[in-house]
Amino acid sequence: MSTSPDTDWQDARPRAISMTSMHANSFWVIGATTRDDRRKIVELEEAKSLESAGDEAQKARAALTNPKGRLAQEVSWLPGVAPKKASQAVASIEKRGLAVAYDEGLPPLARANLTAAAFELAQDVVPHQMAAFVIKLAELVDAIDLAATMLDINEDRAVAGFPEVLDEAAVEAELGDRRSAYKSAIKGALDRMESAHLIESMLLMVRQATDEGRRPAPALIDDLVDTYALEVEPILSSRAERIALEIQNAIGFAPQGKAKVSVAINTIEEMSRVWCTIAKPIQLSAKARGTTDQSSFGLGAKIRSLGITLNNDHNMIELAERTTALVRELFADLPELAEIADLDAKKLLKLKQSAIDATQRDDQWASSITFRSEVGILFKDELAISPEGVQWKGRTYPLSWITAVRWGGVRQSVNGIPTGTDYTIGIGTQIGSMVIQLKKEATYTKFLDCLWRAVCVRLIVEMTQALKAGKTLSFGSIEISDTHAYLVRSKLFGSGDPVKLDWSHVHIWSDNGKVVMGSRNDKKVSGTASYIDHWNAHILEHVVRGAFKKGVGKLSDYLT
């Protein structure tokens, strides 16, 4: 801290109270110094007893003349400070308040003791000052040196005629008691603050002491956070249960639509922000220690799970993004959870982009299969195809209903002179069929192009699936299974004999408006299906030619 101790401490000065642990120290009670011998201590106790009730003075004398009791008083006093300066420093606590923490001329232990006493008196300290003073005290505590403390104590004892302290463990134990006293003094000052200011002070303290969780805090800060965590645990636990209940409500609302789920997420977000405001000092402290606050991890995981459920089970990707963003924001100081949430966010972004791409593809597909034309000269009929279905002469068949198609053209002539081509398109469903007659090649060609994309691609897939399932399909005089063709050997008289051929012995061609299959080894074995008269002859030809080109032994392998 570079702030001057004389400029910014007015709000931190104590009010009304005038007794601190320093004023209760035996040296202060009877007005003794660390260099007074036994005789002087007795005289001071007798004089003090005449002024007021003698119990406190007698206890002080006993403590200062007993080696063990004296060590406790020395460590909690001002070791290494001249007697007059020590007396002045204690007398100034009430006036100077927490500014005593910045008395650079005093040893760390003496400054820590004076600062703790100032905390005992502190009232109405604003959060940023509270954080700064606590950090300063924690730094002073870390700077206390056992050997230097023993040297300061023993130098005064040599003057006062008391035996030296040689037991390092005894001094270390007293210093441990002092650390507990410091924590209690700070906690008392924090408890006198409004709840919101207390939480803000804790957060500022941990943020600054750990550099946002990037380095370990002084031990005193860790002790304070541990105490804070114990005290707020019932509050956090109760609030976490309410948030968990609201998460279940959000999942329950999902079948009713995004609006109700969104309202529930608003509540979850509001409650979680309050929860994390309280828990943030604990989260940062755990991060600085290389651990994870399990309560925070548990709550963050539940919110993340909500997002996963909304996306996977209800296709609510935008709401899943909201919950993921909330986890990333509120639990950023939990490295494991933050990393998982970052991955979730990337996956959701990809899913969202995929959905956008799929929508664009759907739009492109819809555009590619949409066609409308008026047919006829005097009396016009509308022929149309779109994602809604095929429309002709007031009848409409949805695309999903269509199970069979056939088409072809027949050239017409009079006395050998071509008069045009009649085009026929058949649309079949399980409940009926319709036949479309056209004269214009452009209309015929454009409609078939749309029909192929809208229906025939699906029929190809369905045909290969049926064959893979073991079905046998018939087209004119051709029957097929997944692995064989069933053709006919022609005879001069009577019907031909059926012949079963695997696909390696079959070839295919077109002739006079028909698809033809024949044996590679026997010209008398063949079968035909008319493009214009037999349902799905075009689909049959496409699948068989595609399988032959791909070199597969089963027709169902064509699309794999």
Side-chain angles (χ1 to χ4, degrees):
M1 290 284 296
S2 59
T3 306
S4 169
D6 296 323
T7 60
D8 200 24
W9 315 125
Q10 292 299 321
D11 291 340
R13 290 181 180 176
R15 302 171 186 174
I17 306 172
S18 59
M19 177 58 70
T20 71
S21 56
M22 293 295 292
H23 297 92
N25 187 282
S26 295
F27 286 108
W28 181 267
V29 169
I30 62 173
T33 74
T34 54
R35 298 174 184 177
D36 291 334
D37 58 18
R38 291 177 184 272
R39 181 183 61 79
K40 180 65 173 179
I41 291 171
V42 171
E43 290 178 358
L44 292 170
E45 180 269 325
E46 291 176 348
K48 192 69 175 179
S49 295
L50 294 176
E51 297 176 9
S52 59
D55 288 348
E56 293 301 320
Q58 291 174 7
K59 292 178 182 178
R61 181 195 66 184
L64 294 180
T65 55
N66 176 277
K68 183 176 181 180
R70 182 180 178 89
L71 179 60
Q73 300 303 310
E74 289 168 327
V75 172
S76 60
W77 188 240
L78 306 176
V81 180
K84 183 177 181 181
K85 189 173 183 179
S87 178
Q88 292 173 341
V90 175
S92 69
I93 291 174
E94 185 170 4
K95 178 181 179 182
R96 298 192 61 212
L98 290 166
V100 298
Y102 292 87
D103 282 346
E104 298 292 344
L106 301 179
L109 177 56
R111 289 167 64 187
N113 288 339
L114 289 168
T115 304
F119 270 113
E120 294 171 17
L121 300 177
Q123 299 280 343
D124 302 326
V125 186
V126 295
H128 78 274
Q129 288 186 353
M130 177 63 75
F133 288 129
V134 172
I135 292 171
K136 187 61 182 179
L137 177 52
E139 292 171 348
L140 290 172
V141 172
D142 281 359
I144 295 172
D145 182 74
L146 174 63
T149 299
M150 291 182 66
L151 179 62
D152 289 337
I153 290 173
N154 285 331
E155 284 180 351
D156 286 341
R157 285 195 173 200
V159 175
F162 286 95
E164 289 187 0
V165 178
L166 302 176
D167 187 354
E168 290 186 358
V171 179
E172 182 60 42
E174 292 297 337
L175 290 174
D177 289 343
R178 291 311 303 153
R179 284 189 284 270
S180 296
Y182 302 148
K183 185 179 76 171
S184 296
I186 295 169
K187 184 178 179 302
L190 290 168
D191 288 344
R192 290 190 292 274
M193 303 178 79
E194 295 179 5
S195 296
H197 289 172
L198 186 156
I199 295 170
E200 184 181 356
S201 297
M202 289 296 302
L203 179 56
L204 290 171
M205 178 196 316
V206 178
R207 282 191 188 283
Q208 296 170 27
T210 66
D211 188 21
E212 299 290 343
R214 288 186 282 267
R215 66 167 183 255
L220 182 60
I221 302 291
D222 286 342
D223 290 345
L224 284 167
V225 174
D226 291 343
T227 299
Y228 172 82
L230 287 173
E231 292 191 351
V232 300
E233 191 279 331
I235 300 171
L236 292 177
S237 179
S238 175
R239 289 176 179 264
E241 289 177 3
R242 290 163 55 193
I243 295 171
L245 180 61
E246 198 63 35
I247 289 172
Q248 291 303 313
N249 290 339
I251 295 173
F253 289 150
Q256 301 178 42
K258 294 181 180 179
K260 292 205 70 172
V261 178
S262 182
V263 172
I265 291 177
N266 289 342
T267 302
I268 292 168
E269 181 174 352
E270 181 180 349
M271 296 171 66
S272 298
R273 288 189 184 282
V274 174
W275 193 95
C276 282
T277 297
I278 300 172
K280 181 61 73 173
I282 306 170
Q283 295 173 4
L284 273 173
S285 178
K287 178 183 178 182
R289 301 188 216 189
T291 62
T292 298
D293 176 49
Q294 292 304 310
S295 296
S296 296
F297 189 92
L299 179 59
K302 288 178 181 177
I303 298 174
R304 173 181 181 259
S305 179
L306 169 61
I308 292 173
T309 300
L310 292 177
N311 179 69
N312 292 354
D313 297 348
H314 303 284
N315 198 31
M316 296 181 177
I317 189 169
E318 294 84 2
L319 297 183
E321 283 184 311
R322 280 187 59 189
T323 59
T324 299
L326 186 64
V327 172
R328 295 177 74 191
E329 176 189 352
L330 298 185
F331 301 94
D333 293 310
L334 280 66
E336 295 177 8
L337 187 59
E339 182 177 353
I340 294 172
D342 286 345
L343 292 175
D344 288 346
K346 292 177 182 177
K347 290 178 181 178
L348 287 172
L349 185 60
K350 289 182 179 179
L351 288 173
K352 189 173 183 179
Q353 186 59 51
S354 296
I356 293 171
D357 293 342
T359 299
Q360 292 175 343
R361 287 194 298 270
D362 289 345
D363 292 342
Q364 292 171 357
W365 177 80
S367 177
S368 72
I369 68 164
T370 299
F371 172 73
R372 189 176 303 274
S373 177
E374 289 186 339
V375 178
I377 299 175
L378 295 178
F379 303 99
K380 297 184 181 296
D381 294 307
E382 186 176 56
L383 173 65
I385 183 171
S386 70
E388 285 69 41
V390 174
Q391 179 182 342
W392 172 244
K393 291 187 176 181
R395 298 171 61 191
T396 301
Y397 285 150
L399 299 181
S400 61
W401 289 17
I402 300 174
T403 58
V405 292
R406 56 187 175 86
W407 65 81
V410 177
R411 293 187 179 92
Q412 303 293 338
S413 65
V414 176
N415 298 323
I417 301 174
T419 59
T421 302
D422 292 338
Y423 299 101
T424 301
I425 302 172
I427 304 293
T429 74
Q430 292 180 349
I431 63 171
S433 63
M434 62 181 173
V435 177
I436 304 166
Q437 300 289 348
L438 302 171
K439 291 291 186 179
K440 290 184 178 181
E441 182 180 3
T443 302
Y444 171 77
T445 302
K446 180 59 178 177
F447 181 84
L448 283 181
D449 184 56
C450 294
L451 183 67
W452 185 266
R453 293 189 180 94
V455 176
C456 296
V457 172
R458 171 174 58 81
L459 295 181
I460 290 168
V461 174
E462 291 175 352
M463 178 180 287
T464 59
Q465 290 175 339
L467 292 170
K468 188 172 185 179
K471 293 184 178 181
T472 299
L473 306 177
S474 297
F475 309 84
S477 62
I478 300 171
E479 287 190 4
I480 65 168
S481 69
D482 198 13
T483 54
H484 293 84
Y486 300 86
L487 306 177
V488 178
R489 177 176 284 109
S490 62
K491 301 173 74 174
L492 184 59
F493 300 103
S495 59
D497 297 326
V499 178
K500 178 181 179 181
L501 300 172
D502 63 47
W503 290 111
S504 64
H505 293 92
V506 175
H507 65 137
I508 185 172
W509 67 96
S510 295
D511 182 46
N512 196 28
K514 297 177 182 179
V515 57
V516 185
M517 291 187 192
S519 169
R520 292 181 180 274
N521 303 317
D522 189 343
K523 292 183 179 181
K524 292 184 178 181
V525 176
S526 65
T528 64
S530 169
Y531 294 125
I532 199 169
D533 296 322
H534 293 129
W535 294 112
N536 290 338
H538 289 285
I539 307 301
L540 167 68
E541 181 180 29
H542 181 89
V543 171
V544 174
R545 287 187 183 278
F548 284 2
K549 185 176 182 180
K550 197 171 183 180
V552 296
K554 297 180 180 180
L555 296 184
S556 61
D557 289 338
Y558 164 51
L559 297 180
T560 59

